[in-house]
Amino acid sequence: MALIDWLYSWFWNPAIDFLLSIPMVIHVTIKAIGSTWLGFWILKKLN
């Protein structure tokens, strides 16, 4: 993408990497919460 290439040419690369990884952190957090809830729900149904 042209915008990302432009950002990398003007700003500090590790900072750009961090900002671009935030959506993945949110996705992984939601996935972990959902799978934990599902696991507890299944355990509750088994007892």
Side-chain angles (χ1 to χ4, degrees), residues 10-25:
W10 281 94
F11 296 105
W12 190 39
N13 290 348
I16 302 296
D17 291 339
F18 173 75
L19 289 175
L20 291 176
S21 70
I22 289 175
M24 187 53 129
V25 170

Side-chain angles (χ1 to χ4, degrees), residues 1-11 13 16 20:
M1 233 203 260
L3 176 63
I4 293 174
D5 291 337
W6 178 81
L7 285 173
Y8 273 111
S9 69
W10 281 94
F11 296 105
N13 290 348
I16 302 296
L20 291 176

Side-chain angles (χ1 to χ4, degrees), residues 1-2 6 15-17 24 28-31 33 37-38 42-44 46:
M1 233 203 260
W6 178 81
I16 302 296
D17 291 339
M24 187 53 129
V28 168
T29 302
I30 291 171
K31 186 176 175 182
I33 291 169
W37 173 82
L38 181 63
I42 291 171
L43 285 173
K44 185 177 174 183
L46 290 176

